[in-house]
Amino acid sequence: MTTDPQAAITGEPLVLEARAAVAGYGGKTILHQLDLAIRPGEIYALLGANGAGKTTTLSLFLGFVAPSAGQVRVNGADPAAQPAEARRHLAYIPENVALYEHLTARENVAYLLDLAGQRESNAAIGAALANGGLDPAAHDRRVAGFSKGMRQKVAIALAAMRRVPALLLDEPTSGLDPQATVEFNRLLAQLRAQGTGILMVTHDLLSAADVADRIGFLDGGRLREEVAASGAERFDVRALHRRYGGQAT
Ligand code: ATP
């Protein structure tokens, strides 16, 4: 293991990196020799059937699961050996964003920033919420009663204010209507423009093809194929759907 927490495994500037990572639960291997590398300002969508190992991959980067072989880094930090250091560099937006229900959107962001040791003015938080697409009328409303899309906007505003290099997303568009999905993808593109590297796990091939720079297909804990966006059409969604539709969507 490297003694320099900031040293990437390969020396490339990568925000999320797994090299030949093997991981599982109770002696059962789920991820086999997983190689993933996400650069600053890149959106990577990981697709796969139920049980393919998508959430386990996120857990590796979050330090909840330690690899039994191989290496994992978050902005150069090893999440198994230095979980606090690794988490300082990332934001995680789970499928259902957990917020303090009795606090307003603005209070949630202020409180969660405070927990991360960051103080911001009310005005700065308001600007981030507005930039995250949350209607100003909702900034000072309690989040109990917020829709999934509104909660995600609060989480995105928080991630943007923390200026983390890496963002992990679990099924961000499941349960969102098409308009909210488009809006959400616009927010991700904004974070990408700020240089954030984003790993999202999803079943939503269409939405992934709209926003991702690369799509990886995980099957039985093995990365079967990676496809990069190219040209005006970005991805041949019909061909990908034919190849992976039965398992990835
Ligand atoms: P889904 O799309 O259903 O969320 P996934 O691709 O995210 O699936 P994982 O949740 O990573 O898949 O699960 C991969 C495998 O690991 C599954 O067989 C699952 O049963 C198993 N697994 C997940 N979490 C645990 C755990 N905490 N203990 C034991 N086995 C687990």
Side-chain angles (χ1 to χ4, degrees), residues 25 28 30 48-57 170-171 201 203 218:
Y25 306 94
K28 185 173 178 227
I30 302 296
N50 293 127
K54 303 182 298 297
T55 303
T56 305
T57 304
D170 198 355
E171 300 285 357
V201 308
H203 290 281
L218 198 62

Side-chain angles (χ1 to χ4, degrees), residues 1-9 73 75-78 82:
M1 196 201 311
T2 175
T3 52
D4 176 358
Q6 297 306 318
I9 300 161
R73 294 288 183 275
N75 215 34
D78 178 345
Q82 311 157 289

Side-chain angles (χ1 to χ4, degrees), residues 48-197:
N50 293 127
K54 303 182 298 297
T55 303
T56 305
T57 304
L58 295 183
S59 297
L60 266 184
F61 289 114
L62 286 161
F64 297 154
V65 169
S68 57
Q71 291 181 302
V72 178
R73 294 288 183 275
V74 176
N75 215 34
D78 178 345
Q82 311 157 289
E85 174 65 11
R87 278 180 216 150
R88 215 165 54 76
H89 297 293
L90 61 77
Y92 167 53
I93 303 187
E95 185 171 356
N96 295 302
V97 174
L99 296 170
Y100 293 92
E101 299 294 308
H102 62 289
L103 299 182
T104 67
R106 197 192 305 266
E107 288 166 347
N108 263 284
V109 174
Y111 183 64
L112 293 166
L113 281 174
D114 199 46
L115 289 183
Q118 195 176 332
R119 282 277 162 84
E120 298 284 352
S121 69
N122 263 342
I125 294 171
L129 286 169
N131 201 41
L134 192 71
D135 185 340
H139 292 188
D140 296 306
R141 266 179 29 213
R142 290 182 179 199
V143 301
F146 272 24
S147 67
K148 172 171 175 163
M150 291 167 80
R151 287 165 189 271
Q152 282 182 328
K153 287 171 180 173
V154 176
I156 288 273
L158 177 67
M161 292 198 89
R162 284 186 56 214
R163 293 175 207 91
V164 283
L167 177 62
L168 302 177
L169 300 160
D170 198 355
E171 300 285 357
T173 55
S174 83
L176 290 189
D177 64 46
Q179 193 189 332
T181 298
V182 167
E183 169 83 345
F184 184 77
N185 285 347
R186 186 186 62 76
L187 297 176
L188 289 191
Q190 261 181 26
L191 286 177
R192 166 174 57 195
Q194 289 172 21
T196 309

Side-chain angles (χ1 to χ4, degrees), residues 17 26 30 38 67 74-75 79 116 123 154 160 190 206 211 217 238 241:
E17 189 176 15
I30 302 296
I38 291 127
V74 176
N75 215 34
V154 176
Q190 261 181 26
L206 266 184
V211 73
F217 293 91
R238 287 164 69 107
H241 183 68

